[in-house]
Amino acid sequence: VAIPLSQRSAERREREFATKEDAARVSDVMARNLRSGAVVDQLEPDVVFANHMVQSGLAGALVRTAPRIAMPWGGDIFNIGPTTALTRHLVRTGLRHAELVMPSAESAVKDLRSRWGVDPRRIRALSWGVDVRLFSPALVDERADLRRALSVPDGAKVVFNTRRFKHAWGAEAVIDAGIRVAQNRPEVLVVNIAGAGNNAELAEAAARVEHHGLSDRFRFIQGEVSLADYAAWSRIADVGLALKQTPDMRSLSILQPAHAGAWMIVSDQPEYREMAQIGLTFDLVDPDNSDVVVRSIEDALAATADEHRRRADGNRQVVAEHEDHPERRSDSADTIESVAESGRSVRTPRADRWLG
């Protein structure tokens, strides 16, 4: 039995605590943490997950009947946690009392050690991995069928914003560059998906695009989409954009479309450089420099079929070797099982025993 201590979507949490003024409301979060921790402690689960250190780190720390795994979300340790004394305390408390801290990014390990003081023996970076069958490259006939099903015009070049439509996740950079590219290239279709809670931001962008007379060159999809639909867009995308402007964990929004064959253009930041170190090929750009982003999109669209194929084949090989979902799931399951078996021993010996 594993009980996750996460009550709200990550998007809503980051929206609530994006500024110091918003963080003043953290007392409400603390109260929920106290209630959740007390209830879960009475249930005596085998293992407890705290999925967001501001939202549920304190609740996890309060559980004394089971080993605790802290799974930092990204925004909690990179953006929200450092803003106020209270949020810093919540993050530190959740991390300090966890037997295992399991971020999905290698770049987060340094931050966890230097900023948050986590013992490196209690950190194990494990990514989620990619469903390589769902995000497999589309064959010629299948690609044509998918394009018809998604109402993509014949001859259109699909530029897909692979992130949900949030300003902090590069939405504005996508629109800035997309407008400029669409003005020069009549064949371009720029696709954006709102995601939960982002319809207002998407509507503002649609109005801006309409002002430029380019509404037929952009696709704005309201709300959430199924994973199957997201995979379909990834599999027909000629170019993928992931221009998140704040630090990130290992991003499936890059790995999945890269495996599916999209030519990825991503923001230049620590974790994406770590991803390049394992052999993934994508264009690293400054998302705040629209000229650079536009030039990268233009270069991608101008790439020959052979250039595109070589990059796609290389990325598929790297993902299959390093980010295959069943293997990553097995690694995570083995690690979690080791923590669960540690039982109710004193925290440090319990961690030392399974970490060796």
Side-chain angles (χ1 to χ4, degrees), residues 17 29 58 97 129 136 184 194 206 219 227 241 351:
F17 299 103
V29 174
L58 176 60
H97 290 279
S136 62
N184 294 328
R219 186 74 56 82
L227 185 60
L241 302 178

Side-chain angles (χ1 to χ4, degrees), residues 252-333:
L252 293 179
S253 301
I254 296 174
L255 293 172
Q256 290 167 336
H259 186 271
W263 184 292
M264 293 303 300
I265 300 170
V266 309
S267 52
D268 188 357
Q269 60 164 285
E271 183 56 24
Y272 302 167
R273 290 195 293 272
E274 289 281 348
M275 293 163 68
Q277 287 296 312
I278 67 171
L280 288 166
T281 302
F282 35 65
D283 299 344
L284 290 164
V285 300
D286 177 359
D288 294 320
N289 189 330
S290 187
D291 290 342
V292 171
V293 177
V294 168
R295 187 160 56 248
S296 292
I297 297 173
E298 294 278 6
D299 290 346
L301 293 171
T304 66
D306 283 343
E307 290 172 328
H308 199 112
R309 190 178 303 111
R310 282 197 299 272
R311 177 182 283 212
D313 288 347
N315 283 339
R316 279 194 293 276
Q317 183 176 347
V318 172
V319 170
E321 181 178 352
H322 295 277
E323 298 291 344
D324 181 60
H325 176 64
E327 292 186 13
R328 298 285 74 77
R329 180 176 59 189
S330 177
D331 290 345
S332 298

